[in-house]
Amino acid sequence: MMKTFFQWDNELATGFKDIDTQHQGLIEVINEAIQLCLSNEKISEQGVENIYVKLVKYVDEHFRSEEELMSKMSIDSKHMNEHIRA
């Protein structure tokens, strides 16, 4: 059973369901990474690769969702462009 180091809290909620769900998923990946590092077993390359793949997927999905939301909410283009650039 995986130990929880960080927990989702409603104070972290943005009010946007998709974004909040993604943030909750990130917390799960962070907990998984910490558990991997603190286990008494040797850290496998596959374990690190699994975390990496999950983080890459999160980043891709999350930033795309944020940019779609910014576009939908007609955020000033200078903020949108900075987000895309970053």
Side-chain angles (χ1 to χ4, degrees):
M1 183 173 160
M2 188 169 78
K3 184 174 179 182
T4 301
F5 298 92
F6 293 101
Q7 293 187 6
W8 176 259
D9 186 303
N10 284 334
E11 290 184 25
L12 301 172
T14 64
F16 297 99
K17 184 181 179 206
D18 289 346
I19 301 298
D20 290 340
T21 299
Q22 292 165 9
H23 286 164
Q24 289 171 349
L26 177 60
I27 288 173
E28 290 174 13
V29 174
I30 290 169
N31 283 320
E32 185 178 340
I34 293 170
Q35 184 70 40
L36 181 69
C37 291
L38 295 179
S39 74
N40 290 328
E41 299 175 22
K42 182 178 177 184
I43 298 174
S44 70
E45 187 174 328
Q46 184 61 48
V48 174
E49 178 70 18
N50 289 340
I51 298 292
Y52 175 78
V53 167
K54 289 176 184 181
L55 289 173
V56 168
K57 181 181 177 191
Y58 165 81
V59 168
D60 180 54
E61 179 181 351
H62 184 66
F63 284 95
R64 190 173 359 95
S65 294
E66 284 184 336
E67 289 162 6
E68 289 171 3
L69 182 60
M70 284 188 247
S71 179
K72 181 179 175 183
M73 303 296 284
S74 300
I75 298 296
D76 188 301
S77 63
K78 68 181 177 185
H79 299 296
M80 178 80 161
N81 292 337
E82 180 63 23
H83 190 272
I84 292 169
R85 186 190 66 73

